Amino acid sequence: MAETDSRRHPASLAFDVGAATDRGSVRELNEDSFLAREPVFAVADGMGGHEAGEVASRLCIESLADEPVLRPGRRTVTALDVILAVRRADLSIREATGALAGTTLAAAILTEGEDGALAWLVANVGDSRVYLEFEGEFSQLTEDHSEVWELLALGELTPEEARVYPRRNVVTRALGTGFDADPDLWTFPASPGQRLLVCSDGLTCELEDEQIAGVLAEHGDPQAAADALVAAALEAGGSDNVTVVVVGVRTGDDDGAPAPPLPLSEG
Ligand code: MN
């Protein structure tokens, strides 16, 4: 049966990655951190004075990178693994900073479903974001944990008011603070032609979604797209640290076959 065969032999996929970060024009430090290698594409936006935010976001990313199930080559992570990994990251930050620092976390993580097909697990705590560009559509996958997002959802602010709302940087969930650190999770199949954008609010507080979509559409190469997005945020004011990870999905070259052995030396 063709369907069974395609499940047993899912098309191999390849991932092209770009990442860029900048301190911005106003902040003294860059308190954003990121991880951009299979199977984890993540951005953490630290908060807290005196370098504490920098420590919090770095510990968050280091903690994820150290998870055995999230090491390069692994594609078996489950939603429960992600929840536990976020809890461990939360704990490591609280222990290191005395809950005086926090960080957001937005992540897109590759995993293999039971049918062998690759899927994305998207996780979010705070107001960093994951967007999906696919077949000409550009949409935010995550929902912000922020005061302004909640007021928008309640209809108590218009989008125009939200843009200048004085407490628009206040998040309602964060890692490391001792408050709610549970991630929201989403999952969907990975397919050729998708591009995922993971970013800190230094991008989205400067640029409208349509502007972000426009810059992405102009740059097919993920690194060129990441560089152009950071440059556009700086040009628009750069009032915050800005971090961007772009992942493009395409059909793999090897059709699932193991890579041929490489010669150990030339000539
Ligand atoms: Mn920020």
Side-chain angles (χ1 to χ4, degrees):
M1 279 165 36
E3 192 184 331
T4 309
D5 283 353
S6 72
R7 285 186 177 189
R8 202 174 296 149
H9 304 288
S12 75
L13 297 176
F15 301 87
D16 301 312
V17 186
T21 187
D22 198 281
R23 182 167 55 90
S25 313
V26 178
R27 301 290 174 90
E28 282 181 25
L29 298 168
N30 190 346
E31 298 191 322
D32 288 357
S33 299
F34 68 91
L35 182 62
R37 54 102 175 117
E38 288 183 50
V40 183
F41 307 93
V43 168
D45 177 350
M47 59 205 94
H50 306 289
E51 302 180 16
E54 197 179 7
V55 171
S57 71
R58 184 168 45 76
L59 284 174
C60 174
I61 292 298
E62 285 177 358
S63 180
L64 290 185
D66 284 347
E67 287 284 338
V69 79
L70 297 177
R71 298 246 168 87
R74 296 293 300 272
R75 285 178 170 180
T76 56
V77 68
T78 65
L80 179 60
D81 291 330
V82 173
I83 291 168
L84 295 175
V86 169
R87 285 194 188 152
R88 282 191 279 270
D90 175 51
L91 190 62
S92 78
I93 298 162
R94 275 194 277 154
E95 285 175 351
T97 67
L100 292 174
T103 185
T104 72
L105 170 66
I109 303 170
L110 277 169
T111 192
E112 223 166 69
E114 280 176 16
D115 59 359
L118 280 176
W120 292 104
L121 268 176
V122 166
N124 181 56
V125 180
D127 66 353
S128 298
R129 292 179 178 174
V130 180
Y131 288 90
L132 172 66
E133 180 201 60
F134 189 54
E135 295 181 334
E137 301 276 320
F138 179 75
S139 55
Q140 182 178 343
L141 298 178
T142 50
E143 291 173 14
D144 299 354
H145 304 132
S146 67
E147 200 171 282
V148 73
W149 184 274
E150 289 174 6
L151 290 171
L152 271 168
L154 290 170
E156 291 182 15
L157 285 180
T158 66
E160 294 71 36
E161 288 167 340
R163 195 148 279 279
V164 294
Y165 180 69
R167 289 164 57 83
R168 64 188 172 281
N169 295 323
V170 175
V171 296
T172 50
R173 286 191 215 177
L175 276 69
T177 57
F179 295 108
D180 188 356
D182 282 338
D184 287 337
L185 296 166
W186 297 262
T187 187
F188 58 98
S191 346
Q194 290 174 335
R195 281 203 298 178
L196 273 73
L197 164 67
V198 189
C199 62
S200 64
D201 70 334
L203 182 73
T204 52
C205 66
E206 301 294 355
L207 303 175
E208 305 277 357
D209 285 4
E210 304 81 63
Q211 294 174 290
I212 296 170
V215 175
L216 260 185
E218 279 172 32
H219 300 274
D221 174 64
Q223 186 59 52
D227 290 335
L229 284 168
V230 168
L234 295 178
E235 200 171 312
S239 63
D240 193 4
N241 310 143
V242 54
T243 303
V244 169
V245 175
V246 179
V247 192
V249 187
R250 60 180 168 81
T251 306
D253 305 319
D254 57 19
D255 203 24
L262 293 170
L264 291 173
S265 60
E266 294 274 314

